[in-house]
Amino acid sequence: MLAYSGGLDTSVILKWLQTEYGCEVVTFTADLGQGEELEPARAKAEMMGASQIFVEDLREEFVRDFVFPMFRANALYEGSYLLGTSIARPLIAKRQIEIARQVGADAVAHGATGKGNDQVRFELTFKAFAPDLKVIAPWREWNIASREDAIEYAKRFNIPLPVTAKKPYSSDANIWHISYEGGILEDPQNEPKEDMFTMTVNPEKAPGKPEYVEIDFEEGWPVAVNGKKYDSVELVQLLNKIGGAHGCGRVDLVENRCVGMKSRGVYECPGASLLYEAHRELLFLTHDRDLLRFRQMVAQRYADLAYGGLWFTPLREALDAFVDSCEKRVTGRVKLKLFKGHIHIAGRQSPYSLYDPQIATFGDSGPLYSHADSLGNRTEITAGEVQRMSAGRGVRHSEHNRGSEELHLHQVWFMPRRTGAEPSYAQQRFDASQRRNRLQAVVSGRGVPGALTMDSDATMSLADLDAGAALVLPGRGHGFAYLISGAGSIGSQAIAA
């Protein structure tokens, strides 16, 4: 059972399996949106004597169950690669196993080289679903050492190929992207030839007038373009067309492969690039700082899992559950401006936006915010603002004012407080009834837990507290969180305001 694309490697492998193993070969070609490659692949498999040929349209499943979950996680491998090939392999391999069981195959084969990532992606999925089936990886068995050798083998058996010795790069296409590797691209100093690109126009020759496009999201799922709803496949195809017309979405990357070497790949992903830019803006608009920072770490780990073929794992499923929780507020519309290969943000809106122009304005915010509230945003409360501690409990700061018994407070967090019973983020407003002249603080940490009051003159009673204690000062709708430092160290305790 051979995963067959009709390209150089799998075309040669089909003939090699028939010759070397003397076996019948069943081919499986997945329609993931590569379009015109499908019929030539079927015709080539028939011409070469495949015993059975399966060509299946998996586009909807591909986008719905693989591409969009990865996209909602904001996964980018090494900051640039949108994982178009990586995310396709688990689906192809899973369906390949299902067909292998159906036809009674005793082995599965793939066309990945011993230098690449796809061998890992295919075989991890094979082992997840059918550990009993034999895996044949011809690139690890035969004497063909290069793509030039493979081209010569194909010529010997009259196998028609889209690759030539003058243009020997290989490509992999689906609805999410197209990739190019090998040949003239192997020298990272070489600029790709313009005639290589098929999804995007040369940005220099793109229209001289920008185009605006609006993308709507519901809980992180893209649902509409320019106010019109589309199904997932239609939406990506439309954005490919729009972005490609302006030369958007070209990526040239030297990346770290699973097997430890570096490789150079060139990618076209116009629709994916538009979606990533728009989705990221909604995260900025609807996520607070801590959630956004944590999601950046999750995105990197998610990308590593997808890139390394670890799709069918408990960790990836758990990360999806986390992302689903985060994405419940990622609803809104983003306007993009496309111009000569560039994607600019032209506007964004969400009913769950954390941005409040009445508060952010340089003008008067009225009762919502007082400039005096910024006191808690200072990096350090100086000695003059802190009362000396009681005898015998003094805390010495490790870097400032050595020899004194003064306590220093260092801010670690500053964020709006929620008020009311579970209002939406868009409805939240600061509680103007709380006044600055009388604040209650909660103190916890290594010292004796206690409470203190802060009067309008900012004098604080801090008796019986030890270094490393946490101090939270909830003011007019804000939480000012500090770490108490001293005795040679500064703590690193998380605080909920």
Side-chain angles (χ1 to χ4, degrees):
M1 182 72 213
L2 172 64
Y4 183 71
S5 69
L8 171 62
D9 294 347
T10 56
S11 296
V12 169
I13 287 170
L14 174 53
K15 178 57 66 176
W16 182 85
L17 288 171
Q18 293 169 330
T19 303
E20 298 298 320
Y21 278 83
C23 62
E24 294 184 358
V25 180
V26 178
T27 64
F28 166 57
T29 303
D31 180 1
L32 301 180
Q34 60 268 48
E36 61 185 20
E37 293 183 10
L38 293 172
E39 287 310 311
R42 184 196 296 273
K44 193 180 300 182
E46 290 176 351
M47 179 196 72
M48 296 175 63
S51 61
Q52 295 185 66
I53 300 170
F54 291 83
V55 178
E56 296 190 2
D57 185 351
L58 301 181
R59 291 176 298 169
E60 183 178 353
E61 182 181 1
F62 178 51
V63 176
R64 181 193 65 229
D65 297 340
F66 291 80
V67 168
F68 277 0
M70 176 190 70
F71 151 76
R72 292 170 80 235
N74 231 40
L76 288 173
Y77 185 70
E78 299 190 338
S80 299
Y81 176 38
L82 280 76
L83 297 160
T85 295
S86 308
I87 196 60
R89 298 312 188 230
L91 173 57
I92 295 172
K94 178 179 78 75
R95 185 59 185 141
Q96 183 180 356
I97 290 295
E98 292 169 350
I99 297 175
R101 296 297 198 197
Q102 176 184 329
V103 301
D106 57 5
V108 287
H110 61 75
T113 72
K115 289 185 176 182
N117 301 306
D118 280 347
Q119 60 180 331
V120 178
R121 297 163 184 158
F122 273 106
E123 293 178 30
L124 283 174
T125 305
F126 291 159
K127 293 303 181 184
F129 288 95
D132 57 304
L133 287 182
K134 179 179 179 180
V135 176
I136 300 175
W139 275 100
R140 299 202 295 259
E141 296 183 24
W142 61 18
N143 294 323
I144 296 176
S146 67
R147 288 218 158 92
E148 288 74 18
D149 290 347
I151 291 172
E152 290 304 314
Y153 186 97
K155 288 179 178 178
R156 226 183 321 151
F157 289 95
N158 297 316
I159 303 171
L161 296 173
V163 175
T164 67
K166 292 183 179 180
K167 190 179 179 182
Y169 50 76
S170 66
S171 63
D172 177 74
N174 59 49
I175 194 173
W176 197 237
H177 88 156
I178 184 169
S179 66
Y180 306 94
E181 291 182 312
I184 59 176
L185 302 177
E186 290 180 351
D187 186 342
Q189 297 185 86
N190 289 341
E191 182 179 10
K193 300 295 184 182
E194 192 56 41
D195 61 2
M196 179 185 75
F197 297 99
T198 60
M199 293 181 72
T200 57
V201 304
N202 185 337
E204 297 173 4
K205 297 180 180 179
K209 182 179 179 181
E211 179 177 356
Y212 291 88
V213 57
E214 294 182 336
I215 305 175
D216 292 357
F217 295 85
E218 293 179 3
E219 296 189 359
W221 301 96
V223 296
V225 176
N226 294 330
K228 183 178 179 181
K229 291 200 171 185
Y230 296 90
D231 66 36
S232 58
V233 172
E234 291 174 334
L235 186 142
V236 175
Q237 289 174 328
L238 175 61
L239 291 178
N240 279 336
K241 182 178 179 181
I242 294 173
H246 292 273
C248 299
R250 292 186 178 185
V251 178
D252 190 332
L253 174 67
V254 175
E255 67 199 59
N256 290 291
R257 284 183 175 173
C258 297
V259 292
M261 68 182 68
K262 289 200 179 277
S263 66
R264 193 262 189 104
V266 178
Y267 307 94
E268 293 181 273
C269 35
S273 297
L274 269 57
L275 284 169
Y276 265 86
E277 291 292 335
H279 181 258
R280 186 178 63 173
E281 283 304 309
L282 278 186
L283 298 190
F284 291 155
L285 196 62
T286 61
H287 283 22
D288 64 58
R289 180 174 62 184
D290 286 337
L291 180 58
L292 190 63
R293 297 294 189 273
F294 192 79
R295 285 205 62 178
Q296 289 170 343
M297 294 189 292
V298 169
Q300 182 58 66
R301 188 69 182 100
Y302 201 111
D304 290 343
L305 292 175
Y307 189 83
L310 295 168
W311 185 257
F312 296 106
T313 60
L315 177 55
R316 195 273 304 171
E317 293 173 356
L319 292 182
D320 272 344
F322 169 75
V323 170
D324 285 342
S325 175
C326 298
E327 293 286 295
K328 289 179 180 179
R329 295 185 182 275
V330 185
T331 294
R333 173 176 293 176
V334 178
K335 180 190 290 186
L336 304 175
K337 179 181 180 180
L338 314 181
F339 185 66
K340 290 191 175 295
H342 295 282
I343 305 171
H344 304 280
I345 305 299
R348 74 285 275 167
Q349 58 181 297
S350 170
Y352 302 110
S353 173
L354 296 180
Y355 178 85
D356 190 331
Q358 289 182 287
I359 296 172
T361 178
F362 282 97
D364 185 6
S365 294
L368 297 178
Y369 186 87
S370 167
H371 290 277
D373 291 339
S374 65
L375 175 64
N377 205 26
R378 294 164 62 178
T379 59
E380 183 177 12
I381 297 180
T382 62
E385 297 172 302
V386 181
Q387 190 180 54
R388 285 184 176 273
M389 301 184 69
S390 58
R393 296 291 297 172
V395 179
R396 297 180 182 276
H397 192 276
S398 60
E399 297 182 0
H400 301 289
N401 299 316
R402 290 185 181 275
S404 69
E405 292 184 347
E406 295 172 341
L407 182 71
H408 287 249
L409 304 180
H410 296 264
Q411 183 202 0
V412 294
W413 197 14
F414 174 72
M415 64 174 291
R417 296 178 67 203
R418 296 187 184 184
T419 60
E422 293 301 322
S424 69
Y425 284 174
Q427 296 169 333
Q428 290 176 18
R429 293 294 183 266
F430 294 155
D431 185 354
S433 66
Q434 298 185 51
R435 305 310 302 170
R436 186 72 181 167
N437 62 355
R438 194 72 174 172
L439 302 177
Q440 295 296 318
V442 179
V443 181
S444 63
R446 292 183 299 165
V448 179
L452 62 88
T453 61
M454 188 176 79
D455 297 319
S456 57
D457 61 0
T459 299
M460 291 175 258
S461 174
L462 298 169
D464 297 324
L465 296 180
D466 198 359
L471 172 64
V472 182
L473 305 179
R476 289 173 53 191
H478 297 73
F480 303 134
Y482 298 89
L483 289 181
I484 297 175
S485 67
S489 66
I490 298 177
S492 58
Q493 180 177 348
I495 305 168

